[in-house]
Amino acid sequence: MKASYIVGISVPVEEFRARLAEIPGAVLVQELPHDRVVVVLGSRSGSTALASLSGVTTVREDRPERPLPQS
């Protein structure tokens, strides 16, 4: 099952994209402000490899917020 992550990086996006190619099925889908990107992995098991890439400062699973029930 695919999983998406918000990743903090300390290197230029182009350099991170090249390093990300080491992880099969990993795709950078969006650049965010404050040196962050959104990455989609083929499965959650790839998150360890993602976190160990040089230039990665933080990894947080991107979980969509569910709307609160209306009363």
Side-chain angles (χ1 to χ4, degrees):
M1 180 164 88
K2 291 187 178 184
S4 86
Y5 296 88
I6 297 174
V7 181
I9 58 174
S10 63
V11 296
V13 172
E14 297 78 23
E15 187 176 331
F16 175 73
R17 191 183 303 269
R19 293 177 185 178
L20 189 62
E22 299 173 14
I23 302 174
V27 179
L28 190 153
V29 295
Q30 184 177 3
E31 293 181 40
L32 300 172
H34 310 295
D35 299 323
R36 297 176 303 148
V37 294
V38 177
V39 173
V40 173
L41 300 176
S43 71
R44 284 189 171 86
S45 63
S47 64
T48 302
L50 179 61
S52 68
L53 286 179
S54 178
V56 170
T57 58
T58 60
V59 176
R60 179 175 63 87
E61 189 169 2
D62 184 20
R63 295 186 181 185
E65 294 183 19
R66 294 183 182 150
L68 296 174
Q70 304 260 336
S71 337

